[in-house]
Amino acid sequence: MAILKVDNLYKSFGKTEVLRGVSFSMEEGEVLSIIGASGSGKTTLLRCINALETATSGKITIGQETFFDSSNPNLRTKASDRRWQLSCGLVFQSYNLFPQYTALENVMLAPKLLAKEREDFKENKKEILEEIYEHAVALLERVGLSDRLNNYPCELSGGQQQRVAIARALALSPKILFFDEPTSALDPLLTQEVLKVIRELAKSKTTMVIVTHEMKFARDVSDRIIYMEDGVIEADIPASELSENTNSKKLRAFLGNIEG
Ligand SMILES: Nc1ncnc2c1ncn2[C@@H]1O[C@H](COP(=O)(O)OP(=O)(O)O)[C@@H](O)[C@H]1O
Ligand SMILES: [Mg+2]
């Protein structure tokens, strides 16, 4: 069964049509990369799927639940929007950590806020907070930052900050983890340490959608590649077919331009 299903998604900003009928679905454990020129609508697509932006029309289903359906506007409630947000984790291009909090505090923040809503919070406060702490430490260890728990973002390299951002996105155990050009602000060396973490997540079958310009990485780490151009999907292919011999003429032209 599909973990994510996007049906005929449209999104306009004023008169600008940015998404013009995007449909795709993915299975649990799958890794999907989205490539395409700047301005083709990749970020807008991620933001619509992540509930940060409301699509103009179409339908979005995650797991068993349809969170957005333009033909059924009554579907959305505060509670369903909340479940929607919690099903998705997003790692931005510019890490967006809270500068006033340490790495550990950045990772614990959302789980703590959520825990306070629990009915048994007062009763079991000590155990709940202890669990959140242990989980955050384990996540930071997973991204290779055991020795940086108490450092502030300004004391970390860009690659380390991005790895904290990945740990933070994992902290609420989202159904799908999304990355929007996670390495485009990093130099080649720091890029590799972030890509290594993403590769390891892929190995452990984390369901991921990755917008990236790193073609070799996309081919290595993904099961499938979606190529977007002008707000539509021009190619949806197995990652192994991402080469200059691919069937799609438009994708061939894109690959020719970036590699040539
Ligand atoms: N909030 C917005 N208001 C108006 N136009 C926007 C907004 N966000 C994105 N756009 C426009 O949508 C188009 C696609 O942008 P984007 O989704 O960021 O593409 P990509 O991530 O592929 O570079 C661009 O032309 C951009 O200017
Ligand atoms: Mg973008």
Side-chain angles (χ1 to χ4, degrees):
M1 208 203 68
I3 187 89
L4 171 65
K5 196 160 187 298
V6 174
D7 287 312
N8 212 17
L9 213 63
Y10 282 78
K11 174 66 182 173
S12 300
F13 294 105
K15 285 193 177 135
T16 318
E17 269 200 320
V18 176
L19 300 179
R20 301 183 297 124
V22 172
S23 302
F24 70 94
S25 66
M26 66 187 295
E27 302 296 316
E28 196 167 1
E30 213 177 4
V31 179
L32 177 74
S33 284
I34 302 178
I35 60 174
S38 159
S40 56
K42 306 178 300 294
T43 295
T44 304
L45 176 61
L46 287 199
R47 290 178 59 84
C48 288
I49 300 172
N50 277 264
L52 295 171
E53 202 83 71
T54 302
T56 311
S57 69
K59 190 170 155 184
I60 299 168
T61 305
I62 298 175
Q64 310 270 29
E65 188 168 6
T66 296
F67 290 113
F68 176 78
D69 184 351
S70 51
S71 66
N72 184 6
N74 296 329
L75 191 89
R76 286 181 76 177
T77 62
K78 231 176 156 179
S80 78
D81 274 5
R82 194 68 196 278
R83 287 195 298 278
W84 184 2
Q85 286 153 3
L86 290 174
S87 342
C88 302
L90 178 59
V91 176
F92 299 89
Q93 181 172 355
S94 53
Y95 345 115
N96 287 0
L97 298 177
F98 295 103
Q100 71 275 34
Y101 295 133
T102 63
L104 189 61
E105 287 165 347
N106 265 282
V107 178
M108 292 196 301
L109 189 68
K112 272 185 172 171
L113 288 174
L114 202 67
K116 283 181 186 155
E117 293 175 12
R118 279 171 60 162
E119 275 175 15
D120 63 342
F121 183 68
K122 276 209 177 107
E123 209 178 313
N124 301 322
K125 187 171 173 182
K126 193 162 169 277
E127 292 76 16
I128 291 172
L129 291 179
E130 181 66 25
E131 218 169 273
I132 290 172
Y133 169 82
E134 305 262 329
H135 189 214
V137 170
L139 287 171
L140 283 164
E141 194 176 325
R142 192 164 173 197
V143 299
L145 291 173
S146 308
D147 55 343
R148 290 285 183 274
L149 303 183
N150 299 311
N151 286 89
Y152 288 88
C154 65
E155 300 168 329
L156 301 173
S157 73
Q160 290 170 335
Q161 289 184 56
Q162 190 59 304
R163 286 184 284 147
V164 175
I166 294 172
R168 183 179 60 174
L170 287 167
L172 293 176
S173 308
K175 290 195 167 79
I176 311 168
L177 188 57
F178 295 84
F179 294 87
D180 193 0
E181 298 190 27
T183 62
S184 59
L186 302 173
D187 65 39
L189 204 64
L190 299 184
T191 292
Q192 288 314 313
E193 66 182 47
V194 171
L195 296 185
K196 182 167 169 253
V197 168
I198 302 177
R199 276 180 218 276
E200 267 154 31
L201 291 170
K203 262 191 217 150
S204 62
K205 291 286 165 206
T206 309
T207 311
M208 295 189 282
V209 177
I210 309 166
V211 172
T212 183
H213 288 299
E214 305 275 343
M215 293 304 142
K216 187 180 174 314
F217 169 72
R219 194 165 38 211
D220 289 354
V221 81
S222 319
D223 300 298
R224 249 167 68 214
I225 310 268
I226 281 179
Y227 169 61
M228 279 184 75
E229 192 173 299
D230 293 332
V232 295
I233 293 179
E234 288 290 353
D236 183 341
I237 56 171
S240 56
E241 290 173 21
L242 183 69
S243 78
E244 286 180 49
N245 307 321
T246 175
N247 284 332
S248 158
K249 198 173 161 195
K250 287 182 171 171
L251 176 52
R252 275 206 308 276
F254 174 71
L255 293 173
N257 278 335
I258 53 168
E259 281 168 17

mmCIF file of all heavy atoms in Angstrom, residues 107-109 111-113 115 121 127-137:
data_model
loop_
_atom_site.group_PDB
_atom_site.id
_atom_site.type_symbol
_atom_site.label_atom_id
_atom_site.label_comp_id
_atom_site.label_asym_id
_atom_site.label_seq_id
_atom_site.Cartn_x
_atom_site.Cartn_y
_atom_site.Cartn_z
ATOM 1 N N VAL A 107 16.807 19.249 19.244
ATOM 2 C CA VAL A 107 16.180 17.965 18.913
ATOM 3 C C VAL A 107 15.038 17.646 19.884
ATOM 4 O O VAL A 107 14.036 17.044 19.513
ATOM 5 C CB VAL A 107 17.239 16.830 18.907
ATOM 6 C CG1 VAL A 107 16.597 15.480 18.607
ATOM 7 C CG2 VAL A 107 18.329 17.139 17.886
ATOM 8 N N MET A 108 15.184 18.081 21.147
ATOM 9 C CA MET A 108 14.170 17.731 22.164
ATOM 10 C C MET A 108 12.955 18.650 22.151
ATOM 11 O O MET A 108 11.914 18.302 22.704
ATOM 12 C CB MET A 108 14.801 17.774 23.565
ATOM 13 C CG MET A 108 15.836 16.682 23.788
ATOM 14 S SD MET A 108 16.221 16.452 25.542
ATOM 15 C CE MET A 108 16.812 18.075 25.977
ATOM 16 N N LEU A 109 13.096 19.811 21.506
ATOM 17 C CA LEU A 109 12.064 20.848 21.621
ATOM 18 C C LEU A 109 10.655 20.370 21.222
ATOM 19 O O LEU A 109 9.713 20.440 22.021
ATOM 20 C CB LEU A 109 12.472 22.057 20.774
ATOM 21 C CG LEU A 109 11.602 23.291 20.967
ATOM 22 C CD1 LEU A 109 11.794 23.857 22.368
ATOM 23 C CD2 LEU A 109 11.962 24.363 19.933
ATOM 24 N N PRO A 111 9.418 17.251 20.605
ATOM 25 C CA PRO A 111 8.881 16.154 21.429
ATOM 26 C C PRO A 111 8.419 16.630 22.813
ATOM 27 O O PRO A 111 7.416 16.150 23.339
ATOM 28 C CB PRO A 111 10.067 15.196 21.557
ATOM 29 C CG PRO A 111 10.909 15.463 20.371
ATOM 30 C CD PRO A 111 10.755 16.921 20.073
ATOM 31 N N LYS A 112 9.130 17.616 23.381
ATOM 32 C CA LYS A 112 8.728 18.132 24.701
ATOM 33 C C LYS A 112 7.389 18.857 24.619
ATOM 34 O O LYS A 112 6.517 18.659 25.467
ATOM 35 C CB LYS A 112 9.787 19.103 25.227
ATOM 36 C CG LYS A 112 10.889 18.451 26.016
ATOM 37 C CD LYS A 112 11.764 19.568 26.564
ATOM 38 C CE LYS A 112 12.796 19.055 27.521
ATOM 39 N NZ LYS A 112 13.749 20.125 27.864
ATOM 40 N N LEU A 113 7.250 19.696 23.585
ATOM 41 C CA LEU A 113 5.988 20.430 23.425
ATOM 42 C C LEU A 113 4.826 19.461 23.263
ATOM 43 O O LEU A 113 3.753 19.636 23.832
ATOM 44 C CB LEU A 113 6.063 21.361 22.206
ATOM 45 C CG LEU A 113 6.953 22.585 22.376
ATOM 46 C CD1 LEU A 113 7.080 23.351 21.066
ATOM 47 C CD2 LEU A 113 6.407 23.496 23.471
ATOM 48 N N ALA A 115 4.729 16.330 24.276
ATOM 49 C CA ALA A 115 4.531 15.547 25.504
ATOM 50 C C ALA A 115 3.663 16.303 26.510
ATOM 51 O O ALA A 115 2.856 15.707 27.228
ATOM 52 C CB ALA A 115 5.887 15.207 26.124
ATOM 53 N N PHE A 121 0.979 13.561 31.421
ATOM 54 C CA PHE A 121 2.279 14.238 31.509
ATOM 55 C C PHE A 121 2.674 14.563 32.949
ATOM 56 O O PHE A 121 3.782 14.261 33.384
ATOM 57 C CB PHE A 121 2.299 15.507 30.658
ATOM 58 C CG PHE A 121 3.638 16.192 30.672
ATOM 59 C CD1 PHE A 121 4.740 15.602 30.061
ATOM 60 C CD2 PHE A 121 3.826 17.407 31.323
ATOM 61 C CE1 PHE A 121 5.994 16.212 30.085
ATOM 62 C CE2 PHE A 121 5.075 18.027 31.354
ATOM 63 C CZ PHE A 121 6.149 17.432 30.734
ATOM 64 N N GLU A 127 9.679 10.359 33.813
ATOM 65 C CA GLU A 127 9.944 9.255 32.872
ATOM 66 C C GLU A 127 9.826 9.738 31.425
ATOM 67 O O GLU A 127 10.643 9.376 30.578
ATOM 68 C CB GLU A 127 8.956 8.100 33.081
ATOM 69 C CG GLU A 127 9.103 7.344 34.397
ATOM 70 C CD GLU A 127 8.549 8.103 35.597
ATOM 71 O OE1 GLU A 127 7.779 9.078 35.387
ATOM 72 O OE2 GLU A 127 8.900 7.759 36.743
ATOM 73 N N ILE A 128 8.788 10.550 31.177
ATOM 74 C CA ILE A 128 8.560 11.015 29.801
ATOM 75 C C ILE A 128 9.750 11.864 29.331
ATOM 76 O O ILE A 128 10.284 11.663 28.236
ATOM 77 C CB ILE A 128 7.234 11.812 29.704
ATOM 78 C CG1 ILE A 128 6.047 10.867 29.907
ATOM 79 C CG2 ILE A 128 7.110 12.513 28.355
ATOM 80 C CD1 ILE A 128 4.693 11.562 30.015
ATOM 81 N N LEU A 129 10.196 12.791 30.184
ATOM 82 C CA LEU A 129 11.315 13.657 29.793
ATOM 83 C C LEU A 129 12.605 12.858 29.636
ATOM 84 O O LEU A 129 13.419 13.126 28.742
ATOM 85 C CB LEU A 129 11.495 14.791 30.813
ATOM 86 C CG LEU A 129 10.372 15.828 30.812
ATOM 87 C CD1 LEU A 129 10.612 16.900 31.860
ATOM 88 C CD2 LEU A 129 10.203 16.467 29.426
ATOM 89 N N GLU A 130 12.767 11.869 30.488
ATOM 90 C CA GLU A 130 13.942 11.000 30.411
ATOM 91 C C GLU A 130 13.967 10.259 29.061
ATOM 92 O O GLU A 130 14.999 10.167 28.394
ATOM 93 C CB GLU A 130 13.892 9.998 31.579
ATOM 94 C CG GLU A 130 15.062 9.023 31.658
ATOM 95 C CD GLU A 130 16.390 9.707 31.973
ATOM 96 O OE1 GLU A 130 16.373 10.796 32.573
ATOM 97 O OE2 GLU A 130 17.431 9.140 31.586
ATOM 98 N N GLU A 131 12.788 9.792 28.662
ATOM 99 C CA GLU A 131 12.671 9.072 27.395
ATOM 100 C C GLU A 131 13.001 9.990 26.203
ATOM 101 O O GLU A 131 13.693 9.575 25.265
ATOM 102 C CB GLU A 131 11.223 8.589 27.251
ATOM 103 C CG GLU A 131 11.068 7.218 26.631
ATOM 104 C CD GLU A 131 9.628 6.758 26.798
ATOM 105 O OE1 GLU A 131 9.306 6.161 27.854
ATOM 106 O OE2 GLU A 131 8.830 7.033 25.879
ATOM 107 N N ILE A 132 12.495 11.217 26.267
ATOM 108 C CA ILE A 132 12.755 12.186 25.200
ATOM 109 C C ILE A 132 14.250 12.482 25.117
ATOM 110 O O ILE A 132 14.842 12.528 24.035
ATOM 111 C CB ILE A 132 11.940 13.486 25.437
ATOM 112 C CG1 ILE A 132 10.447 13.204 25.199
ATOM 113 C CG2 ILE A 132 12.423 14.616 24.531
ATOM 114 C CD1 ILE A 132 9.531 14.346 25.571
ATOM 115 N N TYR A 133 14.869 12.616 26.284
ATOM 116 C CA TYR A 133 16.312 12.874 26.335
ATOM 117 C C TYR A 133 17.089 11.719 25.710
ATOM 118 O O TYR A 133 17.949 11.919 24.843
ATOM 119 C CB TYR A 133 16.732 13.103 27.790
ATOM 120 C CG TYR A 133 18.223 13.126 27.991
ATOM 121 C CD1 TYR A 133 18.961 14.289 27.737
ATOM 122 C CD2 TYR A 133 18.910 11.988 28.417
ATOM 123 C CE1 TYR A 133 20.337 14.308 27.898
ATOM 124 C CE2 TYR A 133 20.280 11.998 28.581
ATOM 125 C CZ TYR A 133 20.995 13.164 28.319
ATOM 126 O OH TYR A 133 22.349 13.165 28.474
ATOM 127 N N GLU A 134 16.748 10.510 26.107
ATOM 128 C CA GLU A 134 17.467 9.327 25.593
ATOM 129 C C GLU A 134 17.309 9.209 24.071
ATOM 130 O O GLU A 134 18.258 8.886 23.367
ATOM 131 C CB GLU A 134 16.909 8.039 26.222
ATOM 132 C CG GLU A 134 16.915 8.048 27.745
ATOM 133 C CD GLU A 134 18.114 7.320 28.310
ATOM 134 O OE1 GLU A 134 18.548 6.378 27.644
ATOM 135 O OE2 GLU A 134 18.603 7.723 29.382
ATOM 136 N N HIS A 135 16.091 9.463 23.609
ATOM 137 C CA HIS A 135 15.832 9.372 22.173
ATOM 138 C C HIS A 135 16.645 10.421 21.410
ATOM 139 O O HIS A 135 17.267 10.126 20.380
ATOM 140 C CB HIS A 135 14.327 9.542 21.907
ATOM 141 C CG HIS A 135 13.926 9.250 20.485
ATOM 142 N ND1 HIS A 135 12.917 9.928 19.841
ATOM 143 C CD2 HIS A 135 14.413 8.380 19.574
ATOM 144 C CE1 HIS A 135 12.799 9.475 18.604
ATOM 145 N NE2 HIS A 135 13.697 8.527 18.414
ATOM 146 N N ALA A 136 16.677 11.645 21.944
ATOM 147 C CA ALA A 136 17.433 12.727 21.283
ATOM 148 C C ALA A 136 18.921 12.398 21.247
ATOM 149 O O ALA A 136 19.594 12.595 20.230
ATOM 150 C CB ALA A 136 17.183 14.056 22.001
ATOM 151 N N VAL A 137 19.441 11.866 22.345
ATOM 152 C CA VAL A 137 20.864 11.490 22.383
ATOM 153 C C VAL A 137 21.130 10.406 21.341
ATOM 154 O O VAL A 137 22.114 10.466 20.592
ATOM 155 C CB VAL A 137 21.267 11.007 23.799
ATOM 156 C CG1 VAL A 137 22.654 10.378 23.783
ATOM 157 C CG2 VAL A 137 21.214 12.174 24.790
#
